[in-house]
Amino acid sequence: MRSTMMDAPLQVARILDHGSTVHATAEVVTWAGGGEPRRMSYAEVGRTAARLAHALRDECGVTGDERVATFMWNNTEHLVAYFAVPSMGAVLHTLNIRLFPDQLVYVADHAEDRVVLVDSTLVPLLARVIDRMGAVRHVVVVGGGDPAPLVAAAGDRIAVHHWDALLAGRPEVYDWPATDERDAAALCYTSGTTGEPKGVAYSHRSIYLHSLQVCMPEGFGLGVADRELVIVPMFHAMAWGLPYAAFLSGASLVMPDRFLQAAPIAEMIAAERPTTAAAVPTIWTDLLAHLDAHDVDTSSLREVVVGGSACPPALMHAFADRHGIEIVHAWGMTEMSPLGSVARPPAGATGEAAWRYRYTQGRIPAGVAARIVGPLGEPLPADGASVGELEVRGPWVTARYVGDDAPDGEKFRDGWLRTGDVGTLSPDGYVTLTDRAKDVIKSGGEWISSVELENALMAHPAVREACVVGVPDGRWGERPLATVVVREGAEVTAEELRDFLATSVARWQLPERWAFVEAVPKTSVGKFDKKVVRSRHADGALSVTELTTP
Ligand code: ADP
């Protein structure tokens, strides 16, 4: 029996219509450094999105599913593009402003970007590569500032427009076309830490369903009373779906633009009073040091979401104990839109038991099916003990990469996405990751979790950051190397840290090799860059202390 239900497509345009009418008075606030923050109501975002769509169609000739890229910070105009481009049937491509020039050219060509919207503060960066982006015909510069370097670099092939002039006088409504909900709405490339970046094309349907999950209480629990501080870049897995979820739920948005250091983030929190925020652990580590040293009013924060890499339990406790802020740990991937799991304890869990759930990567929602598999792809029990690679599937998980006719066998198996993450799955759906498969340290036939060592080290009061990688060892194949950033004003030796680790980690896992560093190198989205740490070690660029076995 077929259902009697209407077949209304799940569309980004519907999310825009809803947010800009029902939640017309919600606002997006963009931080302006020392100046007055810029404010725009969701009603105005709706009108501006219509004007942008008209401009893109009439002046830039955007038709069908052509790609419109953004090269932007988190701000109002980026939000407008998030809605205008997919709603008009085109495909939004969020370029990662921190990619190397060759990678930027690669992804822009691969995606066949026709238009690029760029913040004027990023003009010098884009000017370095624009002439090599073969499909680009139009660039739109947002904000004041000198577009001359871009005009000079663009040549005759590319027209350079200014946002204000381009949008001026355009109609404030647009008859959004009926798109097939399975068509691409947005495009995001993995950051390509291994090999070339790979493209994931989100559909209108996947965005809609994913946004609902972001709003669910067991997701990020976004509601009409919330003000979300979106620190995670809008080019990092669509800012974890928060912009769309905000328009669905009516939550307001606070955008940091280019002011991503701890001091301005703290100012934003005090001034704009967000109820929640989202970022990778390194941002929170920096903010913690700032909050410890300054008196900042963070009382508006109900909770903050930390994901993208494993959140050290010590960070969660420090925020809770010293600042009364609850950190919620979450796991995801660009390939998963990105929400995979959120670590909220089950009903009835309190005290230590609740904390143990909060340390995990979280509980999978109905929209994500997960399993653990062994080395040959054989499914292992979800018993919270069997360790293997995590595989997932579901309506907001990609089934292949852009441009591939068939799923790449290294990343997909029998309709499942191979996450490359190793860990366990409990019977009640909690994922606990021990490591990325490529970061696990293989020592004499045994596995050492680099994340476990990092978490244990970061619990030491003198340690600000610790990044552990496997390095070649004549006897064991591989052994851990611990690189440590010491907290300002603190002092600690490698022996002391090793002895501290010995209280919580098996003796055979203790690193012999230690290096004290100014900073851990970070990837384009702010995660520890273990590839760079390994290559610095291989090049002899680290000053390593080797301890003998105690
Ligand atoms: P990139 O691969 O460029 O870092 P993604 O953000 O898509 O970009 O990375 C997804 C990966 O990040 C996951 O497969 C996992 O290895 C890691 N990750 C994300 N969240 C967590 C988390 N909470 N704990 C541990 N690892 C995480």
Side-chain angles (χ1 to χ4, degrees), residues 140-319:
V140 181
V141 180
V142 181
D146 183 12
L150 198 55
V151 176
D156 295 339
R157 174 171 57 95
I158 302 169
V160 178
H161 310 267
H162 192 274
W163 173 279
D164 291 339
L166 193 69
L167 269 61
R170 309 257 165 212
E172 294 189 333
V173 288
Y174 192 105
D175 189 13
W176 304 119
T179 42
D180 182 330
E181 65 174 24
R182 287 180 170 76
D183 279 347
L187 198 53
C188 189
Y189 281 72
T190 60
S191 60
T193 32
T194 53
E196 294 293 5
K198 296 194 166 70
V200 175
Y202 308 116
S203 65
H204 287 263
R205 172 186 157 84
S206 72
I207 287 176
Y208 200 107
L209 295 173
H210 179 263
S211 306
L212 289 172
Q213 181 60 38
V214 171
C215 298
M216 291 268 281
E218 298 302 301
F220 295 165
L222 213 57
V224 73
D226 278 313
R227 289 170 74 76
E228 172 82 41
L229 173 59
V230 187
I231 307 173
V232 51
M234 291 171 83
F235 55 73
H236 182 200
M238 308 300 286
W240 302 352
L242 292 165
Y244 295 126
F247 265 60
L248 266 189
S249 64
S252 285
L253 291 166
V254 181
M255 300 294 204
D257 200 74
R258 63 188 190 280
F259 304 100
L260 294 168
Q261 303 72 24
I265 295 281
E267 274 181 63
M268 268 170 244
I269 293 171
E272 289 302 327
R273 303 198 57 73
T275 57
T276 171
V280 293
T282 50
I283 294 267
W284 299 109
T285 304
D286 290 352
L287 187 67
L288 177 67
H290 184 88
L291 295 182
D292 285 347
H294 301 81
D295 189 16
V296 180
D297 179 4
T298 57
S299 60
S300 62
L301 286 170
R302 153 172 85 71
E303 63 182 31
V304 300
V305 176
V306 179
S309 348
C311 180
L315 190 70
M316 295 189 189
H317 284 286
F319 267 95

Side-chain angles (χ1 to χ4, degrees), residues 247-468:
F247 265 60
L248 266 189
S249 64
S252 285
L253 291 166
V254 181
M255 300 294 204
D257 200 74
R258 63 188 190 280
F259 304 100
L260 294 168
Q261 303 72 24
I265 295 281
E267 274 181 63
M268 268 170 244
I269 293 171
E272 289 302 327
R273 303 198 57 73
T275 57
T276 171
V280 293
T282 50
I283 294 267
W284 299 109
T285 304
D286 290 352
L287 187 67
L288 177 67
H290 184 88
L291 295 182
D292 285 347
H294 301 81
D295 189 16
V296 180
D297 179 4
T298 57
S299 60
S300 62
L301 286 170
R302 153 172 85 71
E303 63 182 31
V304 300
V305 176
V306 179
S309 348
C311 180
L315 190 70
M316 295 189 189
H317 284 286
F319 267 95
D321 299 345
R322 306 212 284 271
H323 303 286
I325 298 172
E326 180 164 329
I327 283 185
V328 178
H329 192 195
W331 163 81
M333 300 173 75
T334 302
E335 288 87 339
M336 302 179 71
S337 297
L339 195 56
S341 55
V342 182
R344 298 187 188 278
T350 54
E352 269 310 303
W355 274 106
R356 277 197 298 279
Y357 282 107
R358 292 179 55 193
Y359 299 152
T360 72
Q361 269 64 25
R363 202 177 209 181
I364 49 162
V368 177
R371 66 175 189 178
I372 296 284
V373 301
L376 304 173
E378 71 282 13
L380 300 177
D383 55 8
S386 306
V387 177
E389 184 177 359
L390 182 63
E391 295 189 342
V392 292
R393 65 181 181 196
W396 60 79
V397 179
T398 197
R400 60 185 169 82
Y401 291 111
V402 171
D404 289 355
D405 296 330
D408 167 347
E410 289 222 329
K411 285 296 288 182
F412 301 90
R413 175 172 23 219
D414 307 332
W416 294 80
L417 168 72
R418 305 173 62 178
T419 64
D421 290 323
V422 174
T424 62
L425 183 62
S426 71
D428 52 353
Y430 284 86
V431 173
T432 302
L433 297 181
T434 43
D435 227 326
R436 283 197 185 198
K438 53 183 188 283
D439 294 330
V440 172
I441 301 159
K442 297 176 187 81
S443 170
E446 298 282 351
W447 284 14
I448 300 175
S449 156
S450 64
V451 173
E452 202 178 306
L453 291 177
E454 289 164 359
N455 284 348
L457 272 172
M458 285 191 272
H460 190 283
V463 175
R464 177 168 170 143
E465 281 182 341
C467 171
V468 177

